[in-house]
Amino acid sequence: MAKIKRLITVFLILVSVVLLTAYWINQHKILSGEYDKLTISGMEGTTIQVINDPREIAKIISAINESPRTFKYDNGFTYDYLPHGILTFENETEKVQIGFILTTGNAITKYWEIHTEFPYRQ
């Protein structure tokens, strides 16, 4: 009887750890930090827009971090058939790039398609 209780306890702990890990992975921030410049580039590196307003950049970062996500591991070929662009966030010390799909406006990372629906079009 004691072995069954111990087995149930271990099972419940493992399930709890897995659920908490899944929740954390789904809720973690994609971008953090303060950025001075956002360059929105379309296909072939054409610049669509440059944003220098920190409040506007913070809104875009907030949309990326808080929008619903779909797990889609990008193995390098997942989004090759779609017209895509790049969001380049810059400050004095770092430069971060995130892809987005021009037709839907959704941001994409290696593991997530983030349903941001940005209105940037080429």
PDB file of all heavy atoms in Angstrom, residues 37-41 45-52 57 86-90 96-98 100:
ATOM      1  N   LYS A  37      15.362  51.720 -31.905  1.00  0.00           N
ATOM      2  CA  LYS A  37      15.040  51.750 -33.325  1.00  0.00           C
ATOM      3  C   LYS A  37      14.450  50.402 -33.744  1.00  0.00           C
ATOM      4  O   LYS A  37      14.915  49.353 -33.313  1.00  0.00           O
ATOM      5  CB  LYS A  37      16.325  52.020 -34.118  1.00  0.00           C
ATOM      6  CG  LYS A  37      16.163  52.084 -35.601  1.00  0.00           C
ATOM      7  CD  LYS A  37      17.513  52.374 -36.258  1.00  0.00           C
ATOM      8  CE  LYS A  37      17.416  52.356 -37.761  1.00  0.00           C
ATOM      9  NZ  LYS A  37      18.731  52.538 -38.376  1.00  0.00           N
ATOM     10  N   LEU A  38      13.428  50.471 -34.572  1.00  0.00           N
ATOM     11  CA  LEU A  38      12.827  49.275 -35.170  1.00  0.00           C
ATOM     12  C   LEU A  38      12.793  49.479 -36.676  1.00  0.00           C
ATOM     13  O   LEU A  38      12.198  50.435 -37.166  1.00  0.00           O
ATOM     14  CB  LEU A  38      11.412  49.043 -34.637  1.00  0.00           C
ATOM     15  CG  LEU A  38      10.561  48.002 -35.368  1.00  0.00           C
ATOM     16  CD1 LEU A  38      11.222  46.632 -35.341  1.00  0.00           C
ATOM     17  CD2 LEU A  38       9.173  47.928 -34.780  1.00  0.00           C
ATOM     18  N   THR A  39      13.457  48.587 -37.389  1.00  0.00           N
ATOM     19  CA  THR A  39      13.447  48.629 -38.847  1.00  0.00           C
ATOM     20  C   THR A  39      12.607  47.459 -39.341  1.00  0.00           C
ATOM     21  O   THR A  39      12.855  46.313 -38.972  1.00  0.00           O
ATOM     22  CB  THR A  39      14.883  48.516 -39.417  1.00  0.00           C
ATOM     23  OG1 THR A  39      15.684  49.537 -38.838  1.00  0.00           O
ATOM     24  CG2 THR A  39      14.878  48.648 -40.926  1.00  0.00           C
ATOM     25  N   ILE A  40      11.621  47.767 -40.160  1.00  0.00           N
ATOM     26  CA  ILE A  40      10.745  46.745 -40.729  1.00  0.00           C
ATOM     27  C   ILE A  40      11.156  46.571 -42.184  1.00  0.00           C
ATOM     28  O   ILE A  40      11.047  47.503 -42.982  1.00  0.00           O
ATOM     29  CB  ILE A  40       9.271  47.157 -40.616  1.00  0.00           C
ATOM     30  CG1 ILE A  40       8.935  47.418 -39.146  1.00  0.00           C
ATOM     31  CG2 ILE A  40       8.363  46.099 -41.217  1.00  0.00           C
ATOM     32  CD1 ILE A  40       7.674  48.202 -38.945  1.00  0.00           C
ATOM     33  N   SER A  41      11.657  45.382 -42.490  1.00  0.00           N
ATOM     34  CA  SER A  41      12.156  45.095 -43.845  1.00  0.00           C
ATOM     35  C   SER A  41      11.287  44.047 -44.498  1.00  0.00           C
ATOM     36  O   SER A  41      10.847  43.098 -43.855  1.00  0.00           O
ATOM     37  CB  SER A  41      13.589  44.577 -43.778  1.00  0.00           C
ATOM     38  OG  SER A  41      14.407  45.484 -43.087  1.00  0.00           O
ATOM     39  N   GLY A  45      15.269  42.481 -48.405  1.00  0.00           N
ATOM     40  CA  GLY A  45      15.883  43.542 -47.617  1.00  0.00           C
ATOM     41  C   GLY A  45      15.362  44.941 -47.854  1.00  0.00           C
ATOM     42  O   GLY A  45      15.941  45.909 -47.372  1.00  0.00           O
ATOM     43  N   THR A  46      14.264  45.103 -48.590  1.00  0.00           N
ATOM     44  CA  THR A  46      13.711  46.436 -48.811  1.00  0.00           C
ATOM     45  C   THR A  46      13.105  46.961 -47.511  1.00  0.00           C
ATOM     46  O   THR A  46      12.382  46.253 -46.821  1.00  0.00           O
ATOM     47  CB  THR A  46      12.628  46.411 -49.908  1.00  0.00           C
ATOM     48  OG1 THR A  46      11.612  45.482 -49.514  1.00  0.00           O
ATOM     49  CG2 THR A  46      13.205  45.986 -51.241  1.00  0.00           C
ATOM     50  N   THR A  47      13.417  48.201 -47.170  1.00  0.00           N
ATOM     51  CA  THR A  47      12.912  48.797 -45.933  1.00  0.00           C
ATOM     52  C   THR A  47      11.485  49.276 -46.140  1.00  0.00           C
ATOM     53  O   THR A  47      11.207  50.071 -47.027  1.00  0.00           O
ATOM     54  CB  THR A  47      13.805  49.969 -45.493  1.00  0.00           C
ATOM     55  OG1 THR A  47      15.128  49.472 -45.294  1.00  0.00           O
ATOM     56  CG2 THR A  47      13.297  50.596 -44.213  1.00  0.00           C
ATOM     57  N   ILE A  48      10.590  48.780 -45.300  1.00  0.00           N
ATOM     58  CA  ILE A  48       9.186  49.186 -45.354  1.00  0.00           C
ATOM     59  C   ILE A  48       8.975  50.406 -44.477  1.00  0.00           C
ATOM     60  O   ILE A  48       8.322  51.367 -44.866  1.00  0.00           O
ATOM     61  CB  ILE A  48       8.265  48.034 -44.905  1.00  0.00           C
ATOM     62  CG1 ILE A  48       8.390  46.851 -45.867  1.00  0.00           C
ATOM     63  CG2 ILE A  48       6.820  48.500 -44.805  1.00  0.00           C
ATOM     64  CD1 ILE A  48       7.647  45.614 -45.432  1.00  0.00           C
ATOM     65  N   GLN A  49       9.545  50.374 -43.266  1.00  0.00           N
ATOM     66  CA  GLN A  49       9.336  51.459 -42.310  1.00  0.00           C
ATOM     67  C   GLN A  49      10.439  51.415 -41.259  1.00  0.00           C
ATOM     68  O   GLN A  49      10.935  50.355 -40.906  1.00  0.00           O
ATOM     69  CB  GLN A  49       7.963  51.294 -41.655  1.00  0.00           C
ATOM     70  CG  GLN A  49       7.540  52.424 -40.774  1.00  0.00           C
ATOM     71  CD  GLN A  49       6.112  52.231 -40.249  1.00  0.00           C
ATOM     72  OE1 GLN A  49       5.466  51.234 -40.514  1.00  0.00           O
ATOM     73  NE2 GLN A  49       5.637  53.197 -39.506  1.00  0.00           N
ATOM     74  N   VAL A  50      10.795  52.605 -40.725  1.00  0.00           N
ATOM     75  CA  VAL A  50      11.717  52.712 -39.600  1.00  0.00           C
ATOM     76  C   VAL A  50      10.983  53.464 -38.491  1.00  0.00           C
ATOM     77  O   VAL A  50      10.428  54.532 -38.724  1.00  0.00           O
ATOM     78  CB  VAL A  50      13.013  53.457 -39.988  1.00  0.00           C
ATOM     79  CG1 VAL A  50      13.909  53.644 -38.772  1.00  0.00           C
ATOM     80  CG2 VAL A  50      13.753  52.717 -41.083  1.00  0.00           C
ATOM     81  N   ILE A  51      10.959  52.876 -37.301  1.00  0.00           N
ATOM     82  CA  ILE A  51      10.277  53.479 -36.158  1.00  0.00           C
ATOM     83  C   ILE A  51      11.322  53.824 -35.109  1.00  0.00           C
ATOM     84  O   ILE A  51      12.100  52.973 -34.692  1.00  0.00           O
ATOM     85  CB  ILE A  51       9.216  52.518 -35.571  1.00  0.00           C
ATOM     86  CG1 ILE A  51       8.177  52.173 -36.632  1.00  0.00           C
ATOM     87  CG2 ILE A  51       8.566  53.127 -34.334  1.00  0.00           C
ATOM     88  CD1 ILE A  51       7.188  51.107 -36.224  1.00  0.00           C
ATOM     89  N   ASN A  52      11.332  55.091 -34.673  1.00  0.00           N
ATOM     90  CA  ASN A  52      12.272  55.545 -33.649  1.00  0.00           C
ATOM     91  C   ASN A  52      11.588  55.941 -32.348  1.00  0.00           C
ATOM     92  O   ASN A  52      12.262  56.289 -31.384  1.00  0.00           O
ATOM     93  CB  ASN A  52      13.091  56.732 -34.166  1.00  0.00           C
ATOM     94  CG  ASN A  52      14.029  56.315 -35.275  1.00  0.00           C
ATOM     95  OD1 ASN A  52      14.728  55.310 -35.157  1.00  0.00           O
ATOM     96  ND2 ASN A  52      14.045  57.071 -36.360  1.00  0.00           N
ATOM     97  N   ILE A  57       7.571  51.377 -30.264  1.00  0.00           N
ATOM     98  CA  ILE A  57       8.364  50.143 -30.221  1.00  0.00           C
ATOM     99  C   ILE A  57       7.919  49.282 -29.038  1.00  0.00           C
ATOM    100  O   ILE A  57       7.770  48.065 -29.161  1.00  0.00           O
ATOM    101  CB  ILE A  57       9.870  50.461 -30.160  1.00  0.00           C
ATOM    102  CG1 ILE A  57      10.308  51.149 -31.454  1.00  0.00           C
ATOM    103  CG2 ILE A  57      10.688  49.194 -29.923  1.00  0.00           C
ATOM    104  CD1 ILE A  57      11.712  51.708 -31.417  1.00  0.00           C
ATOM    105  N   ILE A  86      11.364  41.026 -41.977  1.00  0.00           N
ATOM    106  CA  ILE A  86      12.163  40.984 -40.758  1.00  0.00           C
ATOM    107  C   ILE A  86      11.874  42.235 -39.930  1.00  0.00           C
ATOM    108  O   ILE A  86      11.869  43.348 -40.443  1.00  0.00           O
ATOM    109  CB  ILE A  86      13.674  40.928 -41.076  1.00  0.00           C
ATOM    110  CG1 ILE A  86      14.018  39.709 -41.907  1.00  0.00           C
ATOM    111  CG2 ILE A  86      14.511  40.984 -39.806  1.00  0.00           C
ATOM    112  CD1 ILE A  86      13.931  38.398 -41.183  1.00  0.00           C
ATOM    113  N   LEU A  87      11.638  42.033 -38.633  1.00  0.00           N
ATOM    114  CA  LEU A  87      11.559  43.126 -37.672  1.00  0.00           C
ATOM    115  C   LEU A  87      12.916  43.170 -36.969  1.00  0.00           C
ATOM    116  O   LEU A  87      13.305  42.206 -36.311  1.00  0.00           O
ATOM    117  CB  LEU A  87      10.464  42.879 -36.635  1.00  0.00           C
ATOM    118  CG  LEU A  87       9.038  42.710 -37.160  1.00  0.00           C
ATOM    119  CD1 LEU A  87       8.113  42.266 -36.034  1.00  0.00           C
ATOM    120  CD2 LEU A  87       8.551  44.002 -37.760  1.00  0.00           C
ATOM    121  N   THR A  88      13.656  44.279 -37.100  1.00  0.00           N
ATOM    122  CA  THR A  88      14.979  44.407 -36.496  1.00  0.00           C
ATOM    123  C   THR A  88      14.910  45.442 -35.379  1.00  0.00           C
ATOM    124  O   THR A  88      14.732  46.631 -35.633  1.00  0.00           O
ATOM    125  CB  THR A  88      16.027  44.834 -37.542  1.00  0.00           C
ATOM    126  OG1 THR A  88      15.992  43.910 -38.636  1.00  0.00           O
ATOM    127  CG2 THR A  88      17.426  44.846 -36.937  1.00  0.00           C
ATOM    128  N   PHE A  89      15.044  44.967 -34.145  1.00  0.00           N
ATOM    129  CA  PHE A  89      15.033  45.830 -32.966  1.00  0.00           C
ATOM    130  C   PHE A  89      16.480  46.129 -32.589  1.00  0.00           C
ATOM    131  O   PHE A  89      17.285  45.211 -32.456  1.00  0.00           O
ATOM    132  CB  PHE A  89      14.337  45.125 -31.795  1.00  0.00           C
ATOM    133  CG  PHE A  89      12.892  44.837 -32.041  1.00  0.00           C
ATOM    134  CD1 PHE A  89      12.500  43.673 -32.674  1.00  0.00           C
ATOM    135  CD2 PHE A  89      11.918  45.737 -31.645  1.00  0.00           C
ATOM    136  CE1 PHE A  89      11.163  43.400 -32.892  1.00  0.00           C
ATOM    137  CE2 PHE A  89      10.577  45.480 -31.866  1.00  0.00           C
ATOM    138  CZ  PHE A  89      10.198  44.306 -32.492  1.00  0.00           C
ATOM    139  N   GLU A  90      16.795  47.429 -32.396  1.00  0.00           N
ATOM    140  CA  GLU A  90      18.172  47.806 -32.099  1.00  0.00           C
ATOM    141  C   GLU A  90      18.246  48.783 -30.931  1.00  0.00           C
ATOM    142  O   GLU A  90      17.365  49.622 -30.750  1.00  0.00           O
ATOM    143  CB  GLU A  90      18.819  48.480 -33.307  1.00  0.00           C
ATOM    144  CG  GLU A  90      18.891  47.614 -34.544  1.00  0.00           C
ATOM    145  CD  GLU A  90      19.473  48.356 -35.723  1.00  0.00           C
ATOM    146  OE1 GLU A  90      20.669  48.710 -35.657  1.00  0.00           O
ATOM    147  OE2 GLU A  90      18.722  48.596 -36.681  1.00  0.00           O
ATOM    148  N   VAL A  96      18.284  42.563 -32.381  1.00  0.00           N
ATOM    149  CA  VAL A  96      17.483  41.340 -32.367  1.00  0.00           C
ATOM    150  C   VAL A  96      16.581  41.354 -33.596  1.00  0.00           C
ATOM    151  O   VAL A  96      15.923  42.355 -33.888  1.00  0.00           O
ATOM    152  CB  VAL A  96      16.622  41.252 -31.078  1.00  0.00           C
ATOM    153  CG1 VAL A  96      15.746  40.020 -31.098  1.00  0.00           C
ATOM    154  CG2 VAL A  96      17.495  41.276 -29.849  1.00  0.00           C
ATOM    155  N   GLN A  97      16.541  40.231 -34.305  1.00  0.00           N
ATOM    156  CA  GLN A  97      15.702  40.128 -35.487  1.00  0.00           C
ATOM    157  C   GLN A  97      14.647  39.041 -35.299  1.00  0.00           C
ATOM    158  O   GLN A  97      14.958  37.959 -34.810  1.00  0.00           O
ATOM    159  CB  GLN A  97      16.539  39.816 -36.719  1.00  0.00           C
ATOM    160  CG  GLN A  97      17.464  40.947 -37.102  1.00  0.00           C
ATOM    161  CD  GLN A  97      18.211  40.661 -38.379  1.00  0.00           C
ATOM    162  OE1 GLN A  97      18.662  39.552 -38.606  1.00  0.00           O
ATOM    163  NE2 GLN A  97      18.330  41.679 -39.222  1.00  0.00           N
ATOM    164  N   ILE A  98      13.424  39.378 -35.693  1.00  0.00           N
ATOM    165  CA  ILE A  98      12.307  38.438 -35.658  1.00  0.00           C
ATOM    166  C   ILE A  98      11.644  38.491 -37.028  1.00  0.00           C
ATOM    167  O   ILE A  98      11.422  39.564 -37.581  1.00  0.00           O
ATOM    168  CB  ILE A  98      11.296  38.810 -34.557  1.00  0.00           C
ATOM    169  CG1 ILE A  98      11.927  38.630 -33.193  1.00  0.00           C
ATOM    170  CG2 ILE A  98      10.038  37.984 -34.683  1.00  0.00           C
ATOM    171  CD1 ILE A  98      11.007  38.930 -32.053  1.00  0.00           C
ATOM    172  N   PHE A 100       8.526  37.899 -39.806  1.00  0.00           N
ATOM    173  CA  PHE A 100       7.067  37.975 -39.832  1.00  0.00           C
ATOM    174  C   PHE A 100       6.588  37.651 -41.238  1.00  0.00           C
ATOM    175  O   PHE A 100       7.314  37.804 -42.216  1.00  0.00           O
ATOM    176  CB  PHE A 100       6.539  39.326 -39.337  1.00  0.00           C
ATOM    177  CG  PHE A 100       6.760  40.483 -40.271  1.00  0.00           C
ATOM    178  CD1 PHE A 100       5.754  40.932 -41.105  1.00  0.00           C
ATOM    179  CD2 PHE A 100       7.978  41.134 -40.300  1.00  0.00           C
ATOM    180  CE1 PHE A 100       5.954  41.995 -41.959  1.00  0.00           C
ATOM    181  CE2 PHE A 100       8.199  42.202 -41.141  1.00  0.00           C
ATOM    182  CZ  PHE A 100       7.191  42.637 -41.977  1.00  0.00           C
TER     183      PHE A 100
END
